Amino acid sequence: MKIVLDHITKKFPNINKKEKSEVTAVDDFSYEIPDGKLVALLGPSGCGKSTILNLISGLEKPTQGKVFFGDDDVTGLPAENRGVGLVFQNYALYPHLTVRENIRFPLENLKGDKKLSKEEMEEKVQRVAKLVQIEALLDRRPSEMSGGQQQRVAIARALVKKPKVLLLDEPLSNLDARLRLQTREELRRIQLETGITTIFVTHDQEEAMSISDYIVVMKEGRLMQKGVPQKVYDSPDNLFVAKFLGTPQINVFSGEIKDNALFIGKDKIRDGINSIDKKVYVGVRPEGFEPSKDGVLRCEFQKLEVMGRDASILSHNDNFDGTVIRSIIPSDTEVKTTGGEIVFNLKPWKTFVFDSVSEERILID
Ligand SMILES: Nc1ncnc2c1ncn2[C@@H]1O[C@H](COP(=O)(O)OP(=O)(O)OP(=O)(O)O)[C@@H](O)[C@H]1O
Ligand SMILES: [Mg+2]
């Protein structure tokens, strides 16, 4: 089922009651989540990700705007009638119940013609336990399982009522790196197998990029960019998104467009730019640098770090915004430096130009 968020704004009263101002957790946010897809909501802490999930689940009501499930306006519909499965940021299993009882819990209080017999409940529990591969653990208690197993129990519990929508709020945050990788692949498998429209919150951009059909990048309650992960990475709309996606981070230089050419300091990076003269930021992805003696950007060489397949060149340039320019090249590339200087060519498709005031992308090609 598709979900539509139509110009949603959510304001909370300021916790400090003496202050009149409100906190705007979500700011005029519009997005359509296509049926059966996995969408990752991505952004720094406090940008409104959990609030968006709570607005979809019905735990919060928007201050303005509407929520649609399919064509139905559910803005006023209570959470229990929305058919949403939710795994919270700090998922909590009931410690005194077994895995079976934990998963069965949402089925126990169904009323009227939805009421289930013991056998029906057991059958549903078995089915989801199988899906998340914990059939053998049904008689254990949460304390007798690993973090990843507990995670899967929480997901099974969210799935047992066959929700139309699955909302996962940082479901992997408590797992170690290895288990996290395994569990995220498993999550994707379950999502593909069930075809449930799923919204997944994370602040880990790699996690978001690796398992989702679409990503939505947020900042301070606003939608900054949405799209297929690789497309957003390859074509960021603004400096925030460019910086947010990619490890190591994009390298940002202050530069300018002058007489239809792009400069970083005195180095002319490119000719034939169709723009008025202005100050800009130039972002270059780490994989966008090619050492070349007749390159365009001169930097002070600091260090070469070889890490198996790749090597990382650390260098410095006076117009660089951060401490060290990090460029990544294949480890079998020969790196020549002369007098402590290294010269790079910049791959045009890995180089982005942003207005220095609005920080919006300027298309120069
Ligand atoms: N019930 C509330 N009352 C007041 N302010 C709130 C409430 N819930 C959230 N906020 C504020 O709204 C903003 C968005 O919060 P939200 O929990 O949605 O962020 P988040 O993106 O999920 O962050 P995190 O990654 O840390 O979980 C924050 O500034 C937060 O302090
Ligand atoms: Mg949150």
Side-chain angles (χ1 to χ4, degrees):
M1 191 179 51
K2 79 168 178 194
I3 299 168
V4 181
L5 301 172
D6 183 17
H7 294 286
I8 296 279
T9 295
K10 177 66 185 178
K11 293 186 175 170
F12 290 110
N14 203 308
I15 298 171
N16 181 354
K17 293 240 163 58
K18 282 188 197 132
E19 282 196 33
K20 287 240 168 61
S21 67
E22 293 168 311
V23 179
T24 305
V26 176
D27 192 2
D28 194 23
F29 189 99
S30 291
Y31 183 59
E32 181 174 324
I33 299 145
D35 180 35
K37 298 293 183 199
L38 194 160
V39 173
L41 265 186
L42 195 58
S45 183
C47 73
K49 304 179 296 292
S50 297
T51 307
I52 293 265
L53 290 199
N54 290 339
L55 289 162
I56 296 172
S57 70
L59 293 176
E60 296 283 359
K61 299 268 174 293
T63 314
Q64 263 163 28
K66 289 194 163 139
V67 182
F68 293 88
F69 281 9
D71 296 325
D72 300 332
D73 183 347
V74 297
T75 318
L77 198 68
E80 58 272 24
N81 299 339
R82 291 197 187 187
V84 166
L86 187 60
V87 176
F88 286 101
Q89 196 157 5
N90 290 307
Y91 63 94
L93 301 174
Y94 301 109
H96 57 289
L97 300 182
T98 62
V99 168
R100 172 179 284 104
E101 289 161 343
N102 263 289
I103 299 176
R104 192 170 64 202
F105 195 82
L107 302 175
E108 308 256 7
N109 295 318
L110 295 174
K111 300 256 159 32
D113 54 355
K114 288 201 179 125
K115 200 171 160 55
L116 299 172
S117 69
K118 274 226 152 61
E119 292 73 31
E120 286 169 320
M121 283 196 256
E122 179 60 20
E123 196 213 304
K124 284 183 190 287
V125 169
Q126 290 285 349
R127 190 179 51 78
V128 290
K130 196 158 174 235
L131 189 68
V132 302
Q133 297 173 349
I134 48 163
E135 312 98 291
L137 308 176
L138 286 171
D139 295 317
R140 291 208 200 168
R141 283 176 209 282
S143 61
E144 299 160 342
M145 293 186 304
S146 73
Q149 290 165 336
Q150 293 185 37
Q151 188 63 68
R152 280 180 268 163
V153 176
I155 294 166
R157 188 171 61 182
L159 286 171
V160 75
K161 271 167 87 178
K162 279 209 171 168
K164 291 177 273 185
V165 178
L166 184 60
L167 306 177
L168 304 164
D169 198 348
E170 305 239 10
L172 312 181
S173 51
N174 298 332
L175 306 183
D176 68 37
R178 209 187 144 110
L179 206 55
R180 205 177 160 122
L181 197 77
Q182 253 174 31
T183 315
R184 84 182 185 205
E185 278 156 14
E186 200 139 303
L187 250 183
R188 178 56 159 166
R189 175 184 64 78
I190 295 166
Q191 193 272 331
L192 287 172
E193 240 171 86
T194 54
I196 298 179
T197 308
T198 302
I199 301 143
F200 177 89
V201 165
T202 178
H203 57 248
D204 179 338
Q205 47 96 12
E206 191 201 311
E207 192 163 282
M209 294 197 55
S210 62
I211 63 165
S212 38
D213 294 302
Y214 301 103
I215 57 171
V216 171
V217 185
M218 293 180 71
K219 179 191 174 192
E220 294 166 6
R222 291 191 308 275
L223 190 155
M224 299 302 279
Q225 194 170 353
K226 58 185 175 169
V228 173
Q230 192 64 37
K231 277 215 169 127
V232 177
Y233 179 84
D234 287 337
S235 190
D237 284 347
N238 49 62
L239 188 60
F240 177 82
V241 172
K243 280 180 164 175
F244 200 78
L245 298 185
T247 36
Q249 224 187 36
I250 194 165
N251 298 284
V252 180
F253 301 85
S254 32
E256 63 180 325
I257 295 174
K258 211 169 81 185
D259 303 331
N260 297 103
L262 175 63
F263 289 86
I264 292 176
K266 289 200 171 65
D267 289 339
K268 191 196 272 191
I269 303 306
R270 209 183 310 174
D271 265 324
I273 307 277
N274 185 17
S275 163
I276 53 164
D277 292 0
K278 58 163 77 177
K279 296 252 181 271
V280 295
Y281 290 115
V282 183
V284 186
R285 294 266 183 228
E287 66 276 24
F289 294 82
E290 283 174 313
S292 160
K293 63 178 178 2
D294 33 59
V296 291
L297 182 67
R298 289 166 191 284
C299 298
E300 198 183 301
F301 177 79
Q302 288 179 334
K303 201 171 158 200
L304 178 72
E305 287 174 355
V306 183
M307 305 159 292
R309 190 191 52 195
D310 297 329
S312 183
I313 301 172
L314 310 188
S315 61
H316 175 79
N317 178 298
D318 284 343
N319 302 287
F320 185 59
D321 260 14
T323 44
V324 60
I325 303 166
R326 199 170 273 278
S327 42
I328 300 203
I329 54 167
S331 56
D332 50 9
T333 314
E334 200 186 340
V335 177
K336 281 206 182 113
T337 60
T338 32
E341 191 180 68
I342 181 154
V343 192
F344 293 108
N345 257 324
L346 304 179
K347 296 177 188 166
W349 64 96
K350 294 287 180 188
T351 304
F352 311 117
V353 181
F354 304 94
D355 187 285
S356 68
V357 181
S358 69
E359 301 193 352
E360 295 294 319
R361 172 104 174 265
I362 303 170
L363 290 172
I364 53 171
D365 297 311

